[in-house]
Amino acid sequence: QKEVEQDPGPLSVPEGAIVSLNCTYSNSAFQYFMWYRQYSRKGPELLMYTYSSGNKEDGRFTAQVDKSSKYISLFIRDSQPSDSATYLCAMRSDYKLSFGAGTTVTVRA
Amino acid sequence: GAGVSQTPSNKVTEKGKYVELRCDPISGHTALYWYRQSLGQGPEFLIYFQGTGAADDSGLPNDRFFAVRPEGSVSTLKIQRTERGDSAVYLCASSQASRGGTGELFFGEGSRLTVL
């Protein structure tokens, strides 16, 4: 069993819809939780970063962490075609980042 | 440069050949990572450098893989006797943080290796 499991997708949604992305993890030592966005043939770029359980908002993006359930989510409101990308959840306990497999999202205009 | 630079961006080689992939991190970043990303998968950890030394090489799949960072800046990932299963995108990332903490990893665009 992998340390980080991510809902596989792919997801295809109309412009303006809410996108919901989810990951679960098994390693209780993970302290930092991140979401990366990766466009085709590019490297991952950090989108959201959280440390504690709860919600964190940044514009149209909301990251949720539930440490008791070992579950994290990313919500994208009012999705735009430019949000079409692969979204990777990532977690770390010290220096090493462990990634989920990624969910590819397509937002249709 | 402003970001992490990786060369070559694409490399096609034949089974059994030797390959070197280069990473030039963001200036001043002490931590450097190599990850491997196979098609449809997330990046998988290979090796972590803090300065010149490999602090953790537990992700290297076997002894055909080796990485160096002799002066604490540029790093080279070396793959001997390449196999078709080595085909993947090799990502390099650098970070300002020494250990743990909130240091963001900045990724390069990757080197896409294809072994025929």
Side-chain angles (χ1 to χ4, degrees):
Chain A
Q1 184 184 4
K2 292 184 178 179
E3 280 189 314
V4 182
E5 298 281 357
Q6 183 167 358
D7 287 355
L11 294 179
S12 179
V13 300
E15 184 174 357
I18 294 176
V19 176
S20 173
L21 303 165
N22 306 293
C23 289
T24 58
Y25 63 96
S26 57
N27 187 346
S28 299
F30 287 141
Q31 299 176 42
Y32 307 97
F33 305 91
M34 283 142 277
W35 287 94
Y36 279 78
R37 179 173 60 194
Q38 186 174 27
Y39 291 113
S40 181
R41 294 187 173 261
K42 299 290 186 183
E45 56 179 347
L46 183 65
L47 193 60
M48 294 283 287
Y49 158 81
T50 55
Y51 172 70
S52 57
S53 283
N55 292 0
K56 181 177 182 180
E57 269 194 38
D58 184 0
R60 296 183 295 108
F61 299 88
T62 299
Q64 281 187 352
V65 173
D66 182 347
K67 287 188 176 181
S68 62
S69 301
K70 295 190 177 67
Y71 189 88
I72 73 169
S73 298
L74 178 71
F75 299 96
I76 308 174
R77 291 183 300 279
D78 187 25
S79 56
Q80 304 296 309
S82 59
D83 295 328
S84 298
T86 296
Y87 291 81
L88 299 154
C89 62
M91 307 172 191
R92 67 191 285 183
S93 57
D94 191 0
Y95 55 83
K96 189 188 300 185
L97 214 53
S98 297
F99 286 88
T103 303
T104 298
V105 174
T106 301
V107 180
R108 308 185 306 270
Chain B
V4 178
S5 176
Q6 291 189 246
T7 55
S9 54
N10 280 285
K11 176 70 177 179
V12 180
T13 192
E14 293 180 344
K15 181 175 178 295
K17 299 290 188 182
Y18 170 79
V19 166
E20 286 191 354
L21 307 175
R22 175 189 166 108
C23 173
D24 201 340
I26 293 171
S27 178
H29 281 192
T30 57
L32 185 145
Y33 302 75
W34 285 97
Y35 279 80
R36 178 168 72 174
Q37 187 172 25
S38 300
L39 192 64
Q41 299 298 313
E44 292 182 312
F45 171 81
L46 294 178
I47 188 168
Y48 159 66
F49 287 90
Q50 184 53 244
T52 60
D56 183 350
D57 64 357
S58 63
L60 294 178
N62 52 59
D63 61 6
R64 296 186 298 104
F65 288 75
F66 190 71
V68 295
R69 195 186 185 199
E71 297 177 359
S73 179
V74 171
S75 176
T76 304
L77 178 66
K78 308 180 181 196
I79 310 173
Q80 297 178 319
R81 304 183 305 279
T82 52
E83 300 178 357
R84 291 193 181 88
D86 298 335
S87 297
V89 176
Y90 289 82
L91 293 165
C92 178
S94 69
S95 170
Q96 210 164 25
S98 56
R99 273 188 85 88
T102 61
E104 178 182 350
L105 267 64
F106 293 85
F107 282 86
E109 295 199 346
S111 291
R112 183 175 300 271
L113 175 65
T114 302
V115 182
L116 301 177

